[in-house]
Amino acid sequence: AKGLFFGGGGERGMTAALVQGILNRYLQKYLKNVKTEQAALWGGELVFKNVELRLDVLQEELGLPIVFTRGFVQELKVYLPLANLLRENIRITLSNIEVISQTPTQWDTAKQSPAKSPSGDDGVGPKAPTPTKGGSARTMATPGEGEQEGQQGWVRTMLQKITSNISVEINNVVIKYITEQYTSSFSWRSLSVTPTNGTWVPAFAEPEGPHRACYKVVALKDATWCLDANDSHGRVACFEPPLFNRENVALRLLLR
């Protein structure tokens, strides 16, 4: 698939190309009909309007006993500091999202049942290399292999630094779960995930220690949960008071 193209040579061009690959992979995995080469790129900011979530991927990733029937994002912005990717956060902002799910029907359950492999695969992984006459399986090192591994290690470290410092903000979200008897609605005004340093101050930080620890603060604002009864036509006839209304939650995460 075609994707974004960030010009430039040397370290900057290589870094931008690698980030391009990551963005293309994830955007096209979770968003339907996103043509990244047609996106507007102004001042390092990608803007996508009126896109749909890939419900089949969402279903498979979450693995919940529900069926997603609608997933819509009105606006997605990705800020790319192309000249400073190793020192400044990539910022992803999603706004005005609606996700609707329901209890699975008998037909939905049948579609989700795992099918047996036609090849009769018994789940056994690939066989180990056959030992040589000397006793153990060996591979011959090719010229330049050590240099190549060193370069790959540098690339992994650089990408880990960039991706661990991505900040995400998800605004104005409504998630509904509908059954025959009830409609459950969960919404919030803002959900942010902000990378920090070891003292929990927002920063572009290097992963720390042998476990490459990353620190993040998660803030949820104006979260509301409603549970309302449906009438015989499947509609909410009377709205009940929220189970909780406009609550705020803050978490600190240490990721290793």
Side-chain angles (χ1 to χ4, degrees):
K2 294 182 180 180
L4 311 172
F5 176 76
F6 305 124
E11 181 179 324
R12 176 183 171 183
M14 179 187 294
T15 303
L18 291 170
V19 173
Q20 168 197 355
I22 294 174
L23 283 175
N24 283 336
R25 185 168 71 249
Y26 281 98
L27 288 176
Q28 294 173 7
K29 177 179 180 181
Y30 293 103
L31 299 177
K32 185 182 295 186
N33 297 327
V34 170
K35 304 293 186 182
T36 54
E37 70 274 14
Q38 297 175 1
L41 179 58
W42 300 104
E45 186 174 80
L46 283 165
V47 181
F48 300 91
K49 297 283 189 178
N50 302 323
V51 295
E52 293 186 34
L53 295 173
R54 291 187 179 274
L55 301 181
D56 54 339
V57 176
L58 196 63
Q59 188 80 48
E60 183 178 354
E61 293 278 326
L62 296 178
L64 298 174
I66 59 177
V67 174
F68 291 97
T69 59
R70 175 174 168 81
F72 180 81
V73 180
Q74 188 177 76
E75 184 178 76
L76 166 64
K77 290 183 179 181
V78 182
Y79 172 69
L80 297 166
L82 298 180
N84 213 16
L85 282 169
L86 294 176
R87 295 179 180 85
E88 188 177 350
N89 304 84
I90 294 174
R91 298 194 299 271
I92 300 175
T93 305
L94 300 96
S95 300
N96 304 325
I97 302 172
E98 183 181 49
V99 178
I100 300 177
S101 62
Q102 65 182 29
T103 51
T105 62
Q106 188 174 10
W107 168 249
D108 293 322
T109 304
K111 285 197 301 181
Q112 295 174 19
S113 298
K116 292 184 178 180
S117 171
S119 61
D121 187 9
D122 56 3
V124 178
K127 295 181 180 180
T130 304
T132 61
K133 189 173 181 180
S136 61
R138 297 184 180 182
T139 57
M140 293 291 291
T142 58
E145 190 175 88
E147 181 180 347
Q148 184 178 6
E149 289 180 356
Q151 185 178 16
Q152 290 175 350
W154 173 80
V155 169
R156 283 194 298 268
T157 300
M158 180 186 63
L159 288 180
Q160 184 183 25
K161 181 178 180 180
I162 294 173
T163 56
S164 65
N165 281 284
I166 294 176
S167 66
V168 180
E169 188 168 345
I170 307 174
N171 301 319
N172 302 322
V173 176
V174 176
I175 302 173
K176 292 183 179 180
Y177 174 58
I178 302 172
T179 70
E180 291 185 2
Q181 296 179 316
Y182 297 98
T183 295
S184 175
S185 176
F186 183 67
S187 63
W188 66 75
R189 180 171 61 88
S190 174
L191 172 65
S192 62
V193 181
T194 305
T196 72
N197 57 23
T199 58
W200 305 106
V201 176
F204 191 97
E206 189 89 30
E208 297 181 356
H211 297 291
R212 311 295 291 168
C214 301
Y215 301 84
K216 298 181 185 294
V217 171
V218 180
L220 178 63
K221 297 180 179 179
D222 288 353
T224 300
W225 182 24
C226 300
L227 185 62
D228 302 298
N230 295 334
D231 60 18
S232 57
H233 301 287
R235 296 189 293 264
V236 176
C238 181
F239 292 96
E240 301 292 335
L243 299 176
F244 57 79
N245 187 32
R246 302 187 68 177
E247 298 291 336
N248 297 328
V249 179
L251 300 173
R252 290 177 173 180
L253 300 180
L254 173 58
L255 305 177
R256 294 179 177 177

